[in-house]
Structures are given as structure tokens and as C-alpha cells.
Amino acid sequence: MTTFSRDVDLAKARVSTDASAIDPLAEWPHLAHAYQSLIEADDLDSSALRRLGLIPNVLELLGDVSTSQVLDAGTGTSWLFRHVAPKRAFACDLARPSTLADGVTFRINDLAALSWPDSEFDIVVASLVLMYCPDLHAALRELRRVTRDGGRLIIALMNPYFYRTGEVEDDGAFTIRRPVDAPRALPLYIAQTVGPLTYFHRSLPEYVNELVRSGWSVTELRDWHINMSDYRTATTGKLRARCNRTDLVPMFTFLSCSAS
């Protein structure tokens, strides 16, 4: 079984701080279905990490949505509405998912220019999408515009400090190789296969400050660390390639926000 570091592609990565030159509308549509298939592949660990860490935290922060109008912004594989049943379900992305849950209204939309009217939604979910938005303020401002006063925003991020800033060693130690708070745009290959997709590395204060500027109040912030015992149980004997993982640093960060 092949062993590789999840940061191995960074050795050949272009590093930039110029977001204005990046056009996600050109990158995502022709790679979206390959990306969706890859992150749900049982023989790669993305699906296990989402099952163990991403989905439980998003669902817990969401709570009961049965009476709410919910937008899944940057829906990706459209997993959210396979787990929750809101009063009305809406989703958007730069490419249509291969499958959509029954009753979901989908639109091709850029997060920086949503096509819904003001105050349309009670809850918006932005799961693992803001890291790919070149104009973070425009995206957060649009998410605020389409959310009613007092509504909520649930955000999931790869951890802003420890994703793509270092490497997990064979003994589980984490070695930082790059500044943890320096903004940069990285061409990213998911599992060394799908890409390049431009990933915008931003610090946690940048996310929080842009949320505040866009009219959001942060009500909860949490990190998720891998439980290595659960991870090994979920992946042993199933993976075609083994990534080094560690429970020493968090993998996902979650924010719950209120439309102030």
C-alpha cells in the first residue's frame, strides 16, 4: 500500500497572494463531478473523514430545521439534504451534483453573486466552500443578504492553521513548513488526482473579521481532531493509498453565526 503525505503536491505548487487573477468559474465546472466522485470514494479516506468529523458537527450545529427554509451554498455532493429535511430545501454550486435529494431546488450560482432575493432563507450552510472563494467578503456579504435578520449561517472549513501548512510525520508528529497565518493561493490536487483547484489559505482572524464586516455575529467556534482509533477502524484494509494523519492538530473548523 502506497504511503504519501497530503502536502506532497505543495513541492510543485505555485504560491500567490493575488486572488483577483483566479477564476473559479473556469476551474470548477469541468472538475466538479470528478471531485464529487473522489471525495465519496470508499477506497480514499475523504469519505471517512467527512463521516467521522464533518457531517456530525454540521448536523449538531444545525439542530432542528424542520420549520426552516435552508440553503446549502456550495452543495458539492449534496450530502446535506440526505441527512436533514427542512421545510424547504435549496442548493447552489458552480456545477450540478450528480444526484440531488427529492424536493431540493438547485441553481447554478457563484457565492459572490447569488440569484435569490433578500432575506430568503432562515439558515444557510457553507460547508468546505469558502476556502475556494477568491473574494471572501463578497461571498459572506451575499450569504448575509439572502438570510433573514436573526437567521443563521453554519460554516465548515479545513482548519485555517494546520491544513497545508505542514506535514504529518511517520510518528504522528506535525511539522510546520509554512507560515500558518500568511494568506496565499495554492493550486491544490485532491488526493493527487483531481485538480488543480485554487485553495485560498486564510487565517482564522481573517474569516472572523470578514464575517463581522459582512453583518454576521459569531456565536460558536469549534475545531475537530481525528480520533485515531475511530479513523483506523473506518479505513484499515479499505484504502488504496494511506495518508499520514494525526490527532495532535485539528482538521476541521466550524463556525455558527447569526445574522445581526
Side-chain angles (χ1 to χ4, degrees):
M1 186 171 289
T2 304
T3 298
F4 63 88
S5 165
R6 37 185 194 137
D7 284 356
V8 68
D9 58 297
L10 289 185
K12 58 186 178 183
R14 172 186 81 253
V15 178
S16 171
T17 58
D18 181 15
S20 64
I22 308 300
D23 181 12
L25 295 173
E27 292 183 339
W28 274 98
H30 73 285
L31 292 172
H33 289 159
Y35 169 80
Q36 292 166 19
S37 297
L38 182 141
I39 63 175
E40 292 195 328
D42 288 338
D43 57 355
L44 294 171
D45 71 351
S46 293
S47 60
L49 294 172
R50 287 163 182 262
R51 187 172 66 254
L52 294 171
L54 178 72
I55 293 173
N57 278 282
V58 170
L59 296 182
E60 184 177 342
L61 289 170
L62 266 177
D64 180 16
V65 299
S66 59
T67 61
S68 299
Q69 188 151 292
V70 177
L71 170 65
D72 186 12
T75 191
T77 62
S78 195
W79 64 265
L80 180 67
F81 296 123
R82 297 197 290 270
H83 294 270
V84 298
K87 181 178 179 181
R88 297 185 68 192
F90 297 82
C92 67
D93 211 320
L94 295 177
R96 186 179 181 87
S98 300
T99 59
L100 277 172
D102 292 342
V104 178
T105 300
F106 177 82
R107 295 183 184 180
I108 300 287
N109 264 201
D110 181 355
L111 261 64
L114 296 173
S115 60
W116 283 280
D118 295 356
S119 304
E120 183 77 356
F121 302 106
D122 302 302
I123 304 171
V124 175
V125 176
S127 176
L128 302 187
V129 65
L130 293 177
M131 310 94 66
Y132 299 103
C133 294
D135 191 337
L136 180 62
H137 179 72
L140 293 176
R141 184 184 60 215
E142 276 293 273
L143 295 177
R144 175 63 185 89
R145 181 185 64 78
V146 300
T147 305
R148 66 168 177 81
D149 291 349
R152 294 189 293 136
L153 169 65
I154 307 300
I155 295 171
L157 304 168
M158 300 307 297
N159 184 268
Y161 290 120
F162 298 108
Y163 186 68
R164 303 281 163 171
T165 59
E167 299 171 0
V168 179
E169 309 296 346
D170 290 340
D171 63 359
F174 186 84
T175 302
I176 293 175
R177 304 289 188 190
R178 288 159 291 279
V180 297
D181 58 355
R184 56 193 180 276
L186 304 171
L188 174 67
Y189 286 82
I190 307 295
Q192 299 181 304
T193 304
V194 177
L197 295 164
T198 304
Y199 177 93
F200 294 94
H201 176 88
R202 301 176 172 107
S203 68
L204 185 57
E206 183 172 356
Y207 281 106
V208 172
N209 289 334
E210 287 295 352
L211 282 163
V212 173
R213 293 186 189 109
S214 303
W216 296 100
S217 298
V218 177
T219 57
E220 185 171 346
L221 174 64
R222 63 170 71 170
D223 286 336
W224 179 77
H225 295 246
I226 299 172
N227 180 308
M228 291 304 296
S229 176
D230 291 345
Y231 173 74
R232 293 187 187 100
T233 298
T235 60
T236 296
K238 301 177 183 178
L239 303 186
R240 64 178 119 134
R242 170 71 65 180
C243 291
N244 284 345
R245 302 292 185 188
T246 181
D247 57 2
L248 296 180
V249 297
M251 170 158 286
F252 297 125
T253 293
F254 303 91
L255 298 97
S256 180
C257 308
S258 175
S260 52

